[in-house]
Amino acid sequence: MSNLTQYFERKHADLPKPKYNSGDLVYGHWNTIPFVGSVVRDTKPTVMVHSDLPVQFQGNVHTILTVRQSDITRLKEL
């Protein structure tokens, strides 16, 4: 088991460390609409967030939002 752990540590050593972990609660604004949700995936310039409530924008309902890291903040307490 330790061999696999070391293998994946070396494999991902050159990747940037994520600012937000999967499942972190965040809040922010997406197209000037405030939202609260959980982080799905953190890629360096953007973060995919699963919003707690659906967001309607231009006639479409969105539950997965892609926002910039600078537009969201981690929630300490709810």
Side-chain angles (χ1 to χ4, degrees), residues 5-44:
T5 303
Q6 293 170 356
Y7 168 76
F8 284 109
E9 286 176 355
R10 284 183 302 210
K11 180 179 176 184
H12 299 302
D14 59 340
L15 295 176
K17 300 293 181 199
K19 183 175 180 180
Y20 300 101
N21 295 320
S22 181
D24 284 349
L25 291 176
V26 295
Y27 69 93
H29 289 82
W30 178 73
N31 292 327
T32 67
I33 302 169
F35 70 90
V36 175
S38 302
V39 172
V40 176
R41 183 181 340 158
D42 183 6
T43 57
K44 196 56 173 170

Side-chain angles (χ1 to χ4, degrees), residues 53-68:
L53 296 173
V55 176
Q56 185 172 3
F57 181 70
Q58 295 181 344
N60 295 324
V61 177
H62 303 274
T63 55
I64 302 291
L65 310 173
T66 303
V67 295
R68 293 187 310 250

